[in-house]
Amino acid sequence: MTFFKKRAVLLVPALLVIALASPCQAAVETETVSTYKGKGGALDTAVSGDGKFFYVLAPNGTIEIFPTDGGPKEEVKFDGKADKVAVSESGDILFLTDSASGTTRLMSVEYVQSFDLAGAPYKGPENAPVSLVIFSDFQ
């Protein structure tokens, strides 16, 4: 029994060396999915944790927000300087870093949805400042 254990102890490292030394071929295929063009260039970029938004930090003090599904672009202005952008995993906080001063600013992000309610049934005044929309048919 010890004869086989000794042989196994020598055989396993030898097989490992052979496996690591043998050439392997791997292919990498790429394809451009989308292209985003901002107005003022890009200092840095970030993607939201859920992959729905792509953020471009422009040198003119703006962040351009591109929905990855091809929706309309949004632009947000901010005060101060920043040369790096990062986004929280949940996508609701942007981290704007100014490397020269060593400061990082946290900026809250909220996405407001607008609905066209023309012709929809309603209760109360038609021009109310707030509309409560209830979706009850999910077919």
Side-chain angles (χ1 to χ4, degrees):
M1 181 73 111
T2 58
F3 174 76
F4 290 113
K5 284 184 181 178
K6 287 181 183 178
R7 295 284 183 201
V9 168
L10 294 175
L11 184 62
V12 170
L15 289 174
L16 189 59
V17 168
I18 291 170
L20 292 176
S22 65
C24 66
Q25 295 180 357
V28 176
E29 295 181 7
T30 62
E31 177 184 351
T32 300
V33 177
S34 295
T35 302
Y36 302 96
K37 180 152 175 72
K39 288 196 281 187
L43 294 174
D44 198 15
T45 59
V47 178
S48 62
D50 58 7
K52 291 183 179 181
F53 297 98
F54 180 72
Y55 302 90
V56 177
L57 176 62
N60 61 355
T62 62
I63 297 173
E64 296 173 336
I65 304 171
F66 296 90
T68 55
D69 66 359
K73 174 185 86 164
E74 296 289 332
E75 189 173 302
V76 178
K77 290 199 165 284
F78 64 91
D79 295 329
K81 295 180 181 179
D83 57 1
K84 295 181 183 175
V85 64
V87 61
S88 65
E89 189 171 326
S90 60
D92 60 346
I93 297 179
L94 294 177
F95 302 93
L96 304 173
T97 302
D98 179 12
S99 298
S101 67
T103 60
T104 299
R105 173 194 333 236
L106 280 67
M107 189 161 78
S108 174
V109 179
E110 292 185 33
Y111 299 96
V112 178
Q113 297 290 328
S114 297
F115 296 97
D116 181 15
L117 301 176
Y122 63 90
K123 285 186 179 181
E126 185 176 357
N127 59 353
V130 176
S131 297
L132 177 62
V133 179
I134 300 173
F135 297 95
S136 61
D137 184 11
F138 295 105
Q139 292 184 0

